[in-house]
Amino acid sequence: MEKNILKIGIIGLGTVGTGVVKALRQFKNIEIVECAVKNLNKKREVEVNKLTNDPMEIASNPEIDVVVEVAGGVNPCLEVLKTAINNKKHIVTANKELLAKYGDELFELANKNNVSILYEAAVAGGIPIIGPVKTTLRGNEFKKVMGILNGTTNYILTKMESDNLSYEECLKQAQELGYAETDPTNDVMGYDTMYKISILANIVFRKQIDYSEIYVEGITKITSEDIKCADELGYKIKLLGLAQKIEENASLDIRVHPVLVSKENTISKIDKATNTVYLEGYPVGEVMFTGPGAGEAPTASSVIGDILAIANEISLTDTILPSQRVKTEEKAVQENILNTKNSYYMALSAKNIRGVIGVIGSICASNNINLQSIIQRGIAKDNTAFIVVITDTTLEADIQNAIKELISKDIKVKNLIRVI
Ligand code: HSE
């Protein structure tokens, strides 16, 4: 670093990249040498010294100390960041997909090259969570990490509840407001949350996580009826990413799916695009971090925090931020969802015939399922009954067997949602 000026190259000048350029204007010790973009002719909100459409140019530019990657996706970012690391550049990235899929390889390469990869912006946008888990909370033995890690889906679920609208109507609103992308698959199918919980589980439990073994369900099957029934029973529906230690066999139960959260639980009160991360461990007990999970300025806050952390140390030491580096050699044993235990909300539709509730009850009983609540609101015009049950804590495999039996008796299972 010359004259205490940290020289950076930025890959991606979309929403987050633009926010980073704006937020860095006040820091005279950071110089943006060059930015890589897809389209050189696009009109931009911010001006930068030099634009290129070749991100490899940034990875190989000898003037650059730190590569800031806010482009997203695996290609070409994986090869670009590997080249940058081999060229001894520190990395700041917001790329959750890349880290969830190739983090182990990138962290190992970074350790070999004595450079740091910082990624506070990759999980829950503006909420500081990666840094605190790796530093101030490091002395804890964690049991659980879970949270609302996707603003788009939380916005949709909140609107379905408050405005009594369908999933499709709320998705359209979220797209109009710029929360949801034109192709919302990553958010609504739960993949974005899967990448984030995989990254969190890696640092919280210090084990390598195989993201492809994480059970994932999105929010596309949630209906207004589910939201109303949940409300009546004292719950809200949230999409959660969850990772917890199963003490008996030291495995990790990691999953992403909608959850009925009791209205008494603070997580149920996290509305719209806000994110939250809850941690349970010893000696800290329970802690929750809440704030803006996406957006130009909040995400830029996390990115520039990481850039400044490097700037603060680069002229002082040869080993920058060792406490922030990731070194996990052991692979986690990841539990199959069928072996997990949960309480369940089951929405059923059955023909209006005598004894049908009895049939449901005996199928549940023969599969070790104890019922906690049951709602039936009259009979629909097509002579079917809509029945909702909440079970006691039950093995997932038992619930899945019961579902097969219910279907064989002509009872439709419209939805199954886990309850916390
Ligand atoms: N699309 C994400 C969200 C933000 O809606 O929270 C980036 O991961």
Side-chain angles (χ1 to χ4, degrees), residues 111-405:
N111 289 338
K112 264 192 207 145
N113 283 280
N114 190 27
V115 293
S116 291
I117 302 177
L118 300 189
Y119 50 99
E120 190 58 73
V123 178
I127 303 177
I129 185 69
I130 306 291
V133 169
K134 286 193 198 164
T135 57
T136 29
L137 291 168
R138 195 173 179 90
N140 281 274
E141 180 72 29
F142 288 107
K143 270 166 67 176
K144 188 192 267 190
V145 54
M146 70 176 173
I148 296 173
L149 303 171
N150 182 271
T152 305
T153 45
N154 204 43
Y155 177 86
I156 294 172
L157 292 171
T158 307
K159 278 289 180 187
M160 282 176 78
E161 192 223 334
S162 64
D163 299 2
N164 194 19
L165 295 173
S166 70
Y167 163 76
E168 288 76 15
E169 286 167 307
C170 294
L171 170 62
K172 200 161 156 263
Q173 259 191 32
Q175 283 169 323
E176 280 160 7
L177 286 167
Y179 289 127
E181 315 253 346
T182 321
D183 176 2
T185 312
N186 254 341
D187 292 324
V188 299
M189 296 303 286
Y191 304 142
D192 178 75
T193 301
M194 170 185 76
Y195 298 139
K196 292 168 178 169
I197 196 69
S198 174
I199 293 171
L200 285 176
N202 168 246
I203 56 165
V204 163
F205 299 109
R206 295 190 212 132
K207 297 259 169 77
Q208 292 184 7
I209 309 297
D210 181 349
Y211 79 95
S212 67
E213 279 185 34
I214 298 175
Y215 177 83
V216 186
E217 230 181 76
I219 63 161
T220 53
K221 287 197 309 199
I222 304 290
T223 65
S224 309
E225 223 159 25
D226 293 323
I227 304 248
K228 263 186 246 152
C229 289
D231 179 59
E232 215 171 287
L233 291 158
Y235 298 93
K236 288 204 186 185
I237 301 181
K238 298 288 179 192
L239 180 72
L240 295 190
L242 158 82
Q244 61 190 344
K245 201 188 269 178
I246 309 283
E247 293 299 341
E248 294 95 62
N249 60 1
S251 65
L252 292 182
D253 167 19
I254 313 178
R255 42 196 158 109
V256 174
H257 52 65
V259 173
L260 258 71
V261 184
S262 160
K263 286 183 194 169
E264 283 166 25
N265 185 324
T266 317
I267 293 180
S268 76
K269 298 175 181 36
I270 309 299
D271 282 338
K272 297 199 178 154
T274 305
N275 282 196
T276 194
V277 183
Y278 164 95
L279 286 155
E280 206 179 305
Y282 175 82
V284 73
E286 297 174 77
V287 267
M288 231 167 121
F289 297 71
T290 300
E296 178 183 308
T299 312
S301 159
S302 291
V303 173
I304 68 163
D306 283 348
I307 298 172
L308 294 172
I310 295 173
N312 284 344
E313 293 195 358
I314 206 163
S315 56
L316 305 175
T317 167
D318 290 335
T319 308
I320 293 176
L321 299 161
S323 63
Q324 296 265 32
R325 294 190 183 179
V326 180
K327 194 160 189 269
T328 39
E329 275 147 14
E330 202 184 328
K331 287 189 194 320
V333 175
Q334 290 170 238
E335 199 59 71
N336 187 304
I337 185 104
L338 290 174
N339 300 329
T340 66
K341 285 184 184 150
N342 306 276
S343 168
Y344 295 85
Y345 159 104
M346 256 199 291
L348 307 168
S349 167
K351 283 197 188 116
N352 174 26
I353 44 174
R354 251 172 288 156
V356 76
I357 298 275
V359 174
I360 295 169
S362 60
I363 290 177
C364 286
S366 66
N367 283 287
N368 313 309
I369 302 165
N370 199 20
L371 298 182
Q372 216 180 69
S373 312
I374 182 156
I375 305 182
Q376 185 195 341
R377 284 205 222 88
I379 303 296
K381 282 191 194 120
D382 63 357
N383 204 31
T384 57
F386 180 66
I387 302 151
V388 165
V389 299
I390 302 258
T391 73
D392 269 351
T393 305
T394 299
L395 186 69
E396 175 95 16
D398 286 340
I399 274 283
Q400 297 299 346
N401 285 335
I403 287 175
K404 281 185 206 137
E405 279 187 49

Side-chain angles (χ1 to χ4, degrees), residues 86-101:
N86 281 324
N87 287 333
K88 314 281 183 220
K89 298 185 193 313
H90 299 282
I91 307 293
V92 173
T93 177
N95 196 332
K96 61 227 85 181
E97 180 180 357
L98 184 70
L99 293 176
K101 292 182 175 172

